[in-house]
Amino acid sequence: MKQYKKIEDGKGSFIDRLIHTEDFKPFYHYALNESGFKERNEVARNGLESQLGDVIQSYIGDDISDAQQNNIEALKSGHQVVVGGQQAGLFVSPLYTIHKIISIIVMAKEQSIKLNKLVIPVFWIAGEDHDFDEVNHANVYDENSIIHRVKYYSKQEVTDSVSNVQIDRDAYMTALNKMFTLLGETEHTKVIYQKLRDIPGYWTEHFKSILQTLFKSHGVLFIDSQYKPLRALERHILKWQFEHHEAIDAAFRNGQNAFEQLTSERQIITDTNVHLFLQYDGMRQLLKFDGNEYILPKSGVALSKEEVLAIIKHEPERISNNVVTRPLMQESVFNTLAFIGGPSEIKYWGELTQVFEYAQIKMPLVVPRMRITYMTQELEKIITRYDISLEGLFANGIDEYVDTFLKTKENYMVEQEIRAIETQLEASYESLIQSGDSALAHIAKSNVAHHKVQFDYMLEAYRKEIKRKYTTELKHFTKIKNELNPDGLQERVMHPVQIMNRYGIHIFDDVLNAFDQYQYEHIILLSN
């Protein structure tokens, strides 16, 4: 893989404003520059380093690599981390999950050199999340570049954290076999299929197992936010968050209102006022405070403050953060140099500035993840053939190029002739319409309208015939749209296995080698 092109963000876009202006300076505690990293590097450690290292070592288990072991020892001695996270998607889905990890690795390496001290890459698996519909599927392209959704169909409703979801082997294998049928066989298929077939029995374990295979040699430390020993380590932080939930909620609402003045949108949508979940009746439920008690809406149960505190003390694994308190928890546990996130995550961190300030914790540098698109040599040839601008494609989509192509193939005189006949016909009927006979005028108008439909049909039929004649060329445009620009960015739709099946299970090592420094622009990588 080699860097083929950089696509800059549109002027005035959120990422452009974040990186190149000071519009958002009041909402992020450090600037995205060398001075910001140096300043953050001087922040005092939190004292949890040794315990946290033991927790992560326990979580990774026997499959730990030498690079990971070395990083755990460095973590215990107080070295800072670059961290990012994601929900555990089916077979590690979608592709930008991988790009977050690549971003974390590249950033950690770069800052290790610039700061002259080891910075550790950490990936936080959001196993506490319970929205299973967001993670139970994968998108796969068939040989014609048509996108198919492959879904894992659970036999029972999932209402608990995904870390507690035990995989149904039959449903899993059905999804796996469907995916590989769509992918088609390559020289790499057998190895990848076997790796995905031989996985542990719980949802986030299968996710971690794949990531370990891909990135353990790079020393990335993985941790599941729902891991019981981690939650025990967080007990005192959860207690503080719960006891101060009213102030945290007020800080969040005020900060969100201020941030909205710059973005004209609200990223975090929540009606809770406690910002903590409680596992109850097999369901992960948001706590709501009614002024006296803490309500669990799905169960209709009310708990006292003392009862919630007792759960935090004795069963902390039943308590988990929501989107408002999760960043604060992450920064309370890790000594973080930089947090890597997608545009939406960057925005919701901006809404939490006052929450961090209330907790007297500075948020780390908040850095947009690298955006990567893969282009094959076949796609490069198609783009060159039709003179497609990548900047134009990613800014406006493929439709304008399709329209331009079809217009060059249409006979301009055909449409002109049809419209001329239509105009002549309307003129011929004008005397009948203006005759003064209302019944005759009505019939004439109806007849003209009927003929206009026929003329439109004739023109549409002509255009369909043009499309039929150039079916191959239109398939090229569909291939470009679906593979390079589906819903804006390839990495939001394409699955990592698609890339691995094409280039090999260790393709992301090659991707990492394509970056000697962190990139804020959208990067197009071309296969060798």
Side-chain angles (χ1 to χ4, degrees):
M1 289 284 175
K2 63 179 181 180
Q3 289 192 29
Y4 177 74
K5 196 172 184 63
K6 295 182 180 181
I7 309 294
E8 294 185 359
D9 291 284
K11 198 71 174 174
S13 67
F14 173 73
I15 296 296
D16 175 68
R17 293 170 66 194
L18 180 72
I19 295 171
H20 298 118
T21 76
E22 293 192 351
D23 291 355
F24 296 101
K25 185 177 179 180
F27 299 95
Y28 301 99
H29 292 143
Y30 300 94
L32 286 176
N33 56 35
E34 193 169 327
S35 296
F37 281 102
K38 286 182 178 179
E39 184 182 354
R40 177 65 185 181
N41 184 51
E42 300 301 322
V43 171
R45 310 306 180 233
N46 61 34
L48 297 176
E49 296 85 7
S50 181
Q51 298 172 72
L52 180 61
D54 289 339
V55 167
I56 293 176
Q57 181 156 4
S58 170
Y59 176 70
I60 294 176
D62 294 337
D63 189 37
I64 195 166
S65 69
D66 290 342
Q68 288 175 316
Q69 185 65 59
N70 291 337
N71 279 343
I72 285 175
E73 296 307 316
L75 181 74
K76 288 182 176 182
S77 66
H79 284 261
Q80 288 184 306
V81 306
V82 173
V83 65
Q86 185 64 32
Q87 295 163 296
L90 181 62
F91 317 127
V92 184
S93 177
L95 185 54
Y96 67 67
T97 301
I98 298 294
H99 293 165
K100 278 187 178 180
I101 299 174
I102 289 173
S103 301
I104 291 165
I105 295 170
V106 173
M107 175 66 74
K109 285 183 177 178
E110 181 179 76
Q111 291 305 317
S112 293
I113 294 170
K114 289 185 174 181
L115 298 172
N116 197 29
K117 60 173 66 174
L118 180 63
V119 178
I120 304 161
V122 173
F123 189 76
W124 176 286
I125 301 170
E128 61 195 13
D129 286 346
H130 64 279
D131 192 342
F132 197 59
D133 286 338
E134 289 189 3
V135 299
N136 65 0
H137 58 274
N139 294 307
V140 182
Y141 297 80
D142 65 18
E143 60 183 5
N144 296 313
S145 299
I146 303 303
I147 304 170
H148 301 264
R149 173 162 287 196
V150 174
K151 187 173 180 179
Y152 167 92
Y153 289 94
S154 175
K155 292 181 180 179
Q156 57 186 19
E157 183 182 6
V158 176
T159 57
D160 200 355
S161 298
V162 297
S163 285
N164 298 328
V165 173
Q166 189 166 6
I167 292 175
D168 181 293
R169 186 70 182 174
D170 291 339
Y172 181 88
M173 290 306 300
T174 298
L176 182 65
N177 289 332
K178 181 178 179 181
M179 181 171 74
F180 275 90
T181 298
L182 290 165
L183 285 172
E185 188 166 356
T186 71
E187 61 182 302
H188 309 294
T189 301
K190 186 176 180 180
V191 171
I192 299 167
Y193 180 86
Q194 185 171 344
K195 172 59 189 175
L196 295 179
R197 182 194 62 193
D198 300 332
I199 47 87
Y202 284 86
W203 192 262
T204 50
E205 286 182 355
H206 105 277
F207 184 82
K208 180 193 79 170
S209 176
I210 299 167
L211 293 180
Q212 270 287 100
T213 297
L214 298 179
F215 295 110
K216 66 181 179 181
S217 65
H218 298 279
V220 182
L221 302 183
F222 298 104
I223 185 64
D224 183 348
S225 60
Q226 188 61 26
Y227 188 49
K228 191 172 180 179
L230 176 65
R231 195 55 49 77
L233 182 64
E234 297 170 345
R235 183 187 287 112
H236 70 285
I237 306 167
L238 288 169
K239 180 174 182 291
W240 183 90
Q241 289 181 343
F242 175 68
E243 291 179 331
H244 296 83
H245 69 78
E246 290 179 281
I248 288 173
D249 184 59
F252 157 60
R253 304 294 173 184
N254 290 335
Q256 185 179 62
N257 289 338
F259 196 77
E260 185 183 12
Q261 300 303 310
L262 284 178
T263 61
S264 301
E265 64 176 337
R266 290 172 180 256
Q267 202 63 41
I268 300 174
I269 306 298
T270 180
D271 60 357
T272 184
N273 53 8
V274 181
H275 303 295
L276 293 172
F277 285 92
L278 172 62
Q279 183 191 46
Y280 196 94
D281 285 342
M283 295 180 285
R284 183 172 180 250
Q285 305 183 52
L286 270 173
L287 285 165
K288 292 188 178 181
F289 184 55
D290 68 0
N292 295 301
E293 296 177 304
Y294 295 87
I295 311 299
L296 293 172
K298 294 178 182 178
S299 296
V301 171
L303 301 172
S304 67
K305 179 177 180 179
E306 290 70 26
E307 287 175 313
V308 177
L309 285 171
I311 293 172
I312 293 174
K313 181 177 181 180
H314 300 291
E315 302 175 279
E317 66 277 6
R318 292 177 59 194
I319 302 289
S320 56
N321 296 112
N322 83 333
V323 66
V324 171
T325 52
R326 184 184 296 128
L328 192 62
M329 175 61 75
Q330 180 180 290
E331 298 317 305
S332 299
V333 173
F334 284 95
N335 294 318
T336 309
L337 177 68
F339 166 77
I340 305 289
S344 296
E345 291 172 289
I346 304 294
K347 289 177 184 177
Y348 80 63
W349 275 65
E351 295 179 353
L352 300 177
T353 310
Q354 293 190 32
V355 173
F356 276 87
E357 291 172 352
Y358 172 74
Q360 297 183 330
I361 296 175
K362 278 194 170 185
M363 66 172 67
L365 282 92
V366 181
V367 182
R369 65 171 168 80
M370 295 197 300
R371 290 156 291 164
I372 305 169
T373 292
Y374 302 91
M375 185 162 67
T376 62
Q377 293 180 359
E378 179 189 8
L379 285 171
E380 182 190 25
K381 290 177 182 178
I382 294 173
I383 284 172
T384 302
R385 174 179 174 180
Y386 298 105
D387 195 25
I388 294 173
S389 157
L390 287 173
E391 289 82 359
L393 175 67
F394 289 108
N396 305 312
I398 195 67
D399 290 346
E400 65 179 58
Y401 293 102
V402 176
D403 292 342
T404 299
F405 172 79
L406 290 174
K407 280 182 169 46
T408 65
K409 303 305 177 184
E410 292 175 7
N411 187 333
Y412 176 71
M413 294 305 297
V414 171
E415 181 173 357
Q416 290 292 95
E417 194 65 29
I418 291 173
R419 294 309 181 195
I421 296 171
E422 182 180 1
T423 300
Q424 289 176 355
L425 185 69
E426 290 175 346
S428 299
Y429 274 83
E430 190 61 27
S431 60
L432 297 177
I433 294 172
Q434 300 298 332
S435 65
D437 185 330
S438 60
L440 181 61
H442 176 72
I443 294 170
K445 288 180 181 179
S446 296
N447 211 274
V448 168
H450 172 75
H451 284 296
K452 282 179 67 67
V453 170
Q454 293 302 309
F455 285 126
D456 289 343
Y457 172 80
M458 185 189 306
L459 188 58
E460 184 61 29
Y462 171 68
R463 288 172 174 164
K464 284 182 179 179
E465 180 60 22
I466 294 294
K467 291 179 180 179
R468 187 198 63 77
K469 184 177 179 181
Y470 293 98
T471 298
T472 299
E473 288 80 0
L474 291 176
K475 284 183 177 179
H476 288 162
F477 286 110
T478 298
K479 186 178 184 68
I480 292 169
K481 177 182 185 298
N482 287 352
E483 288 202 27
L484 288 184
N485 188 232
D487 295 330
L489 284 177
Q490 179 193 80
E491 60 187 5
R492 293 176 185 159
V493 176
M494 186 176 280
H495 197 280
V497 174
Q498 192 101 37
I499 303 294
M500 290 189 285
N501 192 55
R502 183 180 293 166
Y503 300 109
I505 196 168
H506 295 297
I507 178 58
F508 299 114
D509 292 339
D510 294 337
V511 174
L512 277 162
N513 289 334
F515 295 99
D516 55 6
Q517 61 183 8
Y518 202 84
Q519 302 289 338
Y520 290 101
E521 296 89 355
H522 176 192
I523 302 298
I524 312 298
L525 291 184
L526 179 66
S527 57
N528 297 325

